[in-house]
Amino acid sequence: SQQAQLEALGRDRDLMFSLSGVGIAFVRDGIIQSANPALAQLLGEEGTDLSGRPLASLYAPEVDTKHDADVVGVLRSLGHWQGERALRHARAGQALWADVALRLVQPGHPEEGLIASFVNVDARHRAEHNLTLQADRTRAILDSVFVGIVTLDAHGIAWMNRSARRMFGGDL
């Protein structure tokens, strides 16, 4: 009966691992030991076995400014790390942003490996980027008019255009 329970638990674990919409990988010594199909799909590599690939090869260093040494340092000291990373996408030709969570299997023992999970946040990241560009363009337009424009927030003056800065004699 114990053997049957172990087999049932193994099947349940395999189902959770393979049917999840979140990309999940087990990593030891920086090398992916196993990964679920959702991670390969997230990377645009459906049907590809990611086992044996370095975890660092998933990231797009030309876009991603995080240093792996910093991430590993936090992971070793706290036992977990979470943040956004840019992933290489095989078919999109551009980086794909994902929320990445790394957790040591055994806290204090990084040699036993880690579990990495990847959630696609690319649409949100791109929307934030586009909104920032639009705000910068709007500020540039407002800076070019001859009318003083001041925006306020809960703490007082949040921004003034060039005309308002001239009118008030500088930044307040």
Side-chain angles (χ1 to χ4, degrees), residues 51-133:
S51 300
R53 283 180 53 180
L55 180 64
S57 72
L58 303 184
Y59 303 124
E62 61 277 1
V63 179
D64 194 346
T65 58
K66 291 187 179 51
H67 298 287
D68 289 330
D70 297 337
V71 171
V72 170
V74 170
L75 183 61
R76 286 178 184 265
S77 65
L78 298 178
H80 60 88
W81 180 89
Q82 184 166 358
E84 288 186 0
R85 300 289 310 257
L87 303 177
R88 293 181 193 277
H89 193 275
R91 286 177 284 140
Q94 60 185 355
L96 175 93
W97 287 92
D99 184 46
V100 179
L102 306 175
R103 184 166 299 276
L104 292 178
V105 172
Q106 186 72 27
H109 299 282
E111 68 277 0
E112 293 194 24
L114 61 97
I115 301 296
S117 65
F118 302 84
V119 178
N120 187 345
V121 294
D122 194 59
R124 181 187 55 79
H125 194 273
R126 293 199 190 287
E128 287 174 356
H129 179 70
N130 289 337
L131 188 59
T132 302
L133 284 176

Side-chain angles (χ1 to χ4, degrees), residues 3-26:
Q3 186 64 32
Q5 284 178 332
L6 284 174
E7 288 173 6
L9 286 172
R11 280 192 306 275
D12 290 347
R13 179 189 56 99
D14 289 342
L15 278 174
M16 285 190 303
F17 190 68
S18 63
L19 296 179
S20 172
V22 174
I24 303 171
F26 172 65

